[in-house]
Every structure is written in C-alpha cells, then in structure tokens.
Amino acid sequence: MEIKNKKKRKRIYRDRYKYVVLRLLGKDLDPDKISRVLALDPVSSQPSNALRRKADKIYNTNYGHWNLGSRLHRSATLQNHVNDILKQIKPKKKILRRILRKVEADLNIAVQPHEDLAISAYTFPADTLAEFTSMGIDIRFSIHIPHR
C-alpha cells in the first residue's frame, strides 16, 4: 500500500480585512441622545466639541459621530453584515428619518481583498441598498489595496 504525502495548503481567505458600519455625522451631534432614541448601542461614538488627536496636534472638532456596526462575526460576508445593520434599523425607520434631517449618514463598506487574488467582486442586492438610500443614507464603498 502506497502512502501519499499531502502538503497542507495555506487557506487563502477572500478578504484580509472588511467592515460595514452605519455612520451618522453631524455638527452638534449628541451620540447619547441618538443611542437613547434609537435604543441601539453604537460600536463607537464621539460627541461634538470633543478633543481629537491628529498626528501631534490636539484640536477641538465641531462634528460628532455615531457608528452602528454589524452584530455578526467578522468572518461573515459583506452582504450579511449589510443585511444585519438593515435588520437593526428597519423597525426604527421613522425615528431615523427624523434624525437624518439634522445629520448626515452613510453606510460605510470597506474591504481589503487578499493580495493573492486576481479578482474580487461584490454584489449587493438593489432592494437592500434601496432600503438605505430611501432613508437618505448614502452608500460608501472603499477598497483598500494591499501592499506587497
């Protein structure tokens, strides 16, 4: 009986890095109030007039932000992360529309494809994206090119 020596192949994941977050950004934005009104906990937030650090400078910003992330494991597909955020905000559409009269919002989809892949393609159903855009939420898609 012949024994075959199998080499283990290193698994290549489609994406090295990915995240999806609903961002609310506005002048005089109060993240605590947004969390209370929407009854949702953000993954990160910062009130207006908070101190920010950029390089070696500390400055005051007039803009605050509130970011809602997906509840799924980071290995889930981008499409599933988008759907999870939609499930969180869909029951609160009316409240969110009122908030969006005063602040800007976008669905921020970011990905860094694996450097060994020649092609990376992502399809998002039109009806899912239409749910966001109908509320006045822009779609922001960014691809971070991996460095070799």
Side-chain angles (χ1 to χ4, degrees):
M1 187 161 125
E2 185 177 317
I3 299 175
K4 293 184 178 180
N5 187 6
K6 292 184 179 179
K7 288 185 178 180
K8 285 187 178 181
R9 290 184 68 199
K10 186 176 177 182
R11 186 169 178 182
I12 297 177
Y13 292 94
R14 180 175 177 190
D15 302 319
R16 293 192 131 219
Y17 171 80
K18 63 185 166 194
Y19 74 86
V20 180
V21 67
L22 174 65
R23 285 187 326 165
L24 303 184
L25 176 72
K27 199 168 190 169
D28 303 324
L29 182 134
D30 182 359
D32 293 334
K33 183 178 178 184
I34 290 174
S35 296
R36 193 173 50 255
V37 170
L38 290 176
L40 293 170
D41 292 325
V43 291
S44 66
S45 65
Q46 178 177 325
S48 301
N49 297 320
L51 292 178
R52 293 194 68 181
R53 180 180 298 272
K54 186 175 183 180
D56 292 333
K57 297 178 183 177
I58 297 176
Y59 63 95
N60 228 357
T61 177
N62 292 333
Y63 286 85
H65 69 265
W66 184 91
N67 298 328
L68 179 66
S70 169
R71 300 167 293 189
L72 303 178
H73 189 269
R74 59 182 236 147
S75 63
T77 65
L78 286 171
Q79 294 85 343
N80 287 340
H81 284 297
V82 169
N83 286 331
D84 184 63
I85 290 175
L86 183 60
K87 283 179 190 171
Q88 291 180 68
I89 64 170
K90 204 169 184 179
K92 302 157 191 317
K93 264 183 164 179
K94 281 185 178 180
I95 299 167
L96 190 56
R97 278 194 176 117
R98 272 191 309 220
I99 292 170
L100 294 179
R101 290 180 196 155
K102 299 175 184 174
V103 301
E104 298 173 29
D106 64 37
L107 182 69
N108 192 350
I109 304 168
V111 64
Q112 181 183 13
H114 197 283
E115 68 263 7
D116 291 340
L117 297 176
I119 298 172
S120 285
Y122 307 92
T123 302
F124 299 93
D127 58 336
T128 302
L129 296 182
E131 289 273 353
F132 288 100
T133 58
S134 71
M135 288 185 268
I137 299 170
D138 295 327
I139 308 299
R140 180 179 181 197
F141 190 76
S142 55
I143 299 174
H144 302 263
I145 307 302
H147 301 290
R148 289 191 179 235

